Amino acid sequence: MLDRLSIKVIRWPLTQSAKVLDSFGATANQITLTGFLLGCLAFPALILEEYLWALLFISLNRIFDGLDGALARKQGISDAGGFLDISLDFLFYSLIPFGFVLANPEQNAIAGAFLIFSFIGTGTSFLAFAVMAGKRGIENPVYKNKSLYYMSGLTEGTETITCFVLFCLLPNHFDTIAYIFGAACWFTTFTRIYSGFQTLDDTQNGNN
């Protein structure tokens, strides 16, 4: 929901940073992999309940995620790069709640499982529609520079990262935040399934 606004705020600094990285010969795929590895360092930090360290690595992961996109737009967007980026993003998104579960299984296990379950809903509805939209040549008027169709919703990247920040700042309230955000994710899932089905059905009938 907030991605289109946050993108406008961070676009200029990311573009300028991408120019510097490009001058050093860095590639978008290298930045993607580096960001993922940095994000993975949040996992042991969470298990050890070093939440501020975890927040640092989560923040670095998201910065690199923005940088790889800006660099890809400068060097040329590729399907392989887009595939790598979205695959590692979804792995990272699931890794964070799993880290909180291992940090305090008695308090966080059920809430963490519910949140990861909700991520399956948002992820599958997002990717399934992207596949069908690509097959039918449906373009997204909002995110024109993405390598695949980005379907909007109540919970997008900005909201997810805000949730992760709250987890790290308020670890004792992980379960409450996870239940609330998980419920919002399910709202996103159901609205995506409904609107995605209607869009594809209308497109198919229109082609007939």
Side-chain angles (χ1 to χ4, degrees), residues 26 29 46 77 150 192:
N29 291 339
L46 290 172
I77 295 174
Y150 266 54
R192 279 178 175 171

Side-chain angles (χ1 to χ4, degrees), residues 46 51 96-105 108 164 167-168 171 174:
L46 290 172
Y51 297 115
I96 300 307
F98 185 45
F100 278 94
V101 168
L102 295 182
N104 190 345
N108 297 340
F164 288 175
F167 284 161
C168 293
F174 170 85

Side-chain angles (χ1 to χ4, degrees), residues 20-189:
V20 175
L21 290 170
D22 184 58
S23 68
F24 282 101
T27 68
N29 291 339
Q30 289 171 344
I31 299 301
T32 299
L33 289 170
T34 302
F36 177 69
L37 293 175
L38 287 171
C40 286
L41 292 176
F43 186 64
L46 290 172
I47 295 175
L48 296 173
E49 300 184 61
E50 296 288 346
Y51 297 115
L52 292 182
W53 279 105
L55 179 58
L56 172 64
F57 292 125
I58 290 170
S59 300
L60 288 173
N61 172 271
R62 292 298 84 197
I63 291 171
F64 274 70
D65 185 64
L67 286 172
D68 67 3
L71 195 55
R73 286 188 289 275
K74 181 174 180 58
Q75 297 176 343
I77 295 174
S78 71
D79 290 341
F83 168 76
L84 180 67
D85 179 53
I86 198 66
S87 297
L88 297 184
D89 273 353
F90 278 109
L91 288 173
F92 169 76
Y93 286 151
S94 297
L95 185 71
I96 300 307
F98 185 45
F100 278 94
V101 168
L102 295 182
N104 190 345
E106 289 188 4
Q107 179 178 330
N108 297 340
I110 296 177
F114 174 70
L115 184 59
I116 294 173
F117 178 42
S118 74
F119 285 169
I120 295 296
T122 54
T124 53
S125 58
F126 172 89
L127 293 174
F129 184 81
V131 170
M132 297 303 175
K135 181 180 177 181
R136 296 188 177 279
I138 302 173
E139 295 185 357
N140 190 323
V142 178
Y143 305 111
K144 295 181 179 180
N145 295 320
K146 298 290 187 179
S147 57
L148 72 168
Y149 193 108
Y150 266 54
M151 200 176 194
S152 300
L154 178 63
T155 54
E156 299 176 342
T158 303
E159 291 80 10
T160 303
I161 299 311
T162 301
C163 177
F164 288 175
V165 170
L166 290 176
F167 284 161
C168 293
L169 296 178
L170 303 169
N172 292 330
H173 299 284
F174 170 85
D175 54 344
T176 301
I177 300 169
Y179 283 129
I180 294 173
F181 191 71
C185 286
W186 278 112
F187 178 83
T188 298
T189 298

